[in-house]
Amino acid sequence: MFDRSHDHYMRQALAEAQKSAEADEVPVGALVVRAGLVIGRAHNQVELLKDPTAHAEMIAITQAAAAVGDWRLTETTLYVTKEPCPMCAGAIVLARIPTVVFGVPDPLRGGAVSVFTILNHPQLNHRPEVVQGVLEAECREMLQASSGSGVGRRRRVFRSRTEDGDPPLCAYQPGEQRQHHHQFGIAKIVLDHAVKQQPEHDEQPATAPRRPDADRSARTARPALRRPPTTPSKTV
């Protein structure tokens, strides 16, 4: 039996996933909760930021670490609508998050329990508690509802096993038009493109710089040896 608070926070994660769907991103949302307060809230922004690491879990973890001022997110719970991928599962372990709650499993590339059991691997020094299946129907519907739009766009397929074993396809297509929402205010991603100014061609120095070994060779040069003049020998 699930804790009712899990449903409450998972619905907030679903609201984040809806923002991803509206921006033609993979519809996944995530929350980090500590002592009843949401300290991290994000959705997928991979297509917007052109960043393969901009998953909802990664951004939410970054926000939470900035909120508490520590990379160790002890006494927190991560809520995510879809099972974390291997990258996000590794970040969860490194952040020492004690509890992970997700909605729908990912039997293709799940990094928690479905394919890669990173969160329960015996060789790792941290193994969080995993709660799965919270609002699973709503989370799956969110993924399936994003399919069928944007004909001709790049398609990605999410497969989930049903009770009778048939793997229904759920395709979601990131599109051209993308919107970014900053709703939490703790951490904000800013893309700065620094342009280094190159010196003009006419700003060359008047004289070419001397080689550093030039003065040394001048100081250490040995004078050429001169032979004493020879006098003709007298014959007796």
Side-chain angles (χ1 to χ4, degrees):
M1 183 176 182
F2 295 132
D3 188 348
R4 291 185 178 180
S5 62
H6 290 341
D7 292 354
H8 171 71
Y9 293 117
M10 187 61 72
R11 294 191 187 280
Q12 296 188 43
L14 282 168
E16 290 296 318
Q18 180 61 36
K19 296 178 182 179
S20 297
E22 294 172 357
D24 287 332
E25 298 272 0
V26 177
V28 177
L31 268 71
V32 178
V33 180
R34 185 178 187 181
L37 298 178
V38 178
I39 60 175
R41 182 195 308 268
H43 55 276
N44 271 0
Q45 301 178 29
V46 172
E47 296 296 330
L48 172 72
L49 301 178
K50 301 296 187 295
D51 183 358
T53 68
H55 289 193
E57 302 96 307
M58 302 291 288
I59 300 176
I61 290 174
T62 301
Q63 291 181 355
V68 302
D70 192 357
W71 61 268
R72 299 176 183 86
L73 298 180
T74 58
E75 301 179 357
T76 61
T77 301
L78 173 70
Y79 293 88
V80 60
T81 56
K82 185 176 73 67
E83 181 181 0
C85 70
M87 174 185 67
C88 296
I92 291 169
V93 173
L94 293 176
R96 307 295 194 271
I97 297 176
T99 306
V100 177
V101 181
F102 67 84
V104 60
D106 186 351
L108 281 184
R109 60 188 67 87
V113 294
S114 297
V115 181
F116 306 98
T117 58
I118 296 176
L119 298 185
N120 294 324
H121 200 282
Q123 296 294 331
L124 297 177
N125 60 348
H126 177 70
R127 292 183 291 274
E129 177 187 2
V130 178
V131 180
Q132 55 181 311
V134 176
L135 299 183
E136 181 177 353
E138 289 86 340
C139 295
R140 178 176 286 107
E141 182 181 0
M142 174 66 67
L143 290 169
Q144 293 175 345
S146 64
S147 63
S149 61
V151 178
R153 297 176 180 177
R154 181 161 55 92
R155 299 176 63 86
R156 298 179 178 179
V157 177
F158 173 82
R159 299 173 184 266
S160 58
R161 295 286 178 180
T162 57
E163 294 181 357
D164 55 0
D166 296 331
L169 298 182
C170 173
Y172 34 79
Q173 306 84 16
E176 296 89 349
Q177 298 181 356
R178 306 174 182 90
Q179 299 177 355
H180 188 40
H181 304 273
H182 293 291
Q183 75 286 346
F184 196 65
I186 289 181
K188 184 177 181 181
I189 299 178
V190 180
L191 300 178
D192 295 327
H193 300 280
V195 179
K196 296 182 179 179
Q197 297 181 355
Q198 300 294 335
E200 298 293 338
H201 294 287
D202 56 355
E203 295 181 359
Q204 298 294 335
T207 59
R210 300 184 61 183
R211 293 183 354 186
D213 57 345
D215 296 336
R216 182 186 307 173
S217 60
R219 293 192 302 266
T220 60
R222 300 178 61 183
L225 298 178
R226 295 183 180 181
R227 294 183 178 180
T230 59
T231 57
S233 60
K234 296 181 180 181
T235 57
V236 179

